[in-house]
Amino acid sequence: MSPRKTLQEREQELRPLLATPAGRDELQELAARYYAASGRLRPAGTSAITYILVYERELGLISG
């Protein structure tokens, strides 16, 4: 099992995806999968990256 990434490491991994349309689509798809799994809507004004990070942190996939 690989060690968990930190919140900052995961954010740095996701942030470059905003630079391209394909990357933005990838972020939206991941957020949609997380919504389907949790049933919790992304709050208005919240970025897909923030939504992804909160979800992954709650699952213990990333650390503080």
Side-chain angles (χ1 to χ4, degrees):
M1 180 197 268
S2 62
R4 289 187 301 173
K5 295 178 183 178
T6 66
L7 183 65
Q8 291 78 22
E9 289 170 335
R10 183 62 173 144
E11 183 175 4
Q12 288 174 355
E13 187 177 271
L14 295 171
R15 194 153 299 280
L17 295 174
L18 291 172
T20 65
R24 288 189 294 275
D25 288 345
E26 186 178 335
L27 286 172
Q28 293 303 325
E29 289 172 16
L30 184 57
R33 280 192 306 229
Y34 287 174
Y35 165 70
S38 71
R40 288 193 316 206
L41 291 174
R42 188 168 89 199
T46 303
S47 74
I49 290 177
T50 300
Y51 183 80
I52 291 166
L53 292 173
V54 168
Y55 181 83
E56 290 179 352
R57 188 171 182 193
E58 288 176 350
L59 286 181
L61 300 174
I62 56 176
S63 60

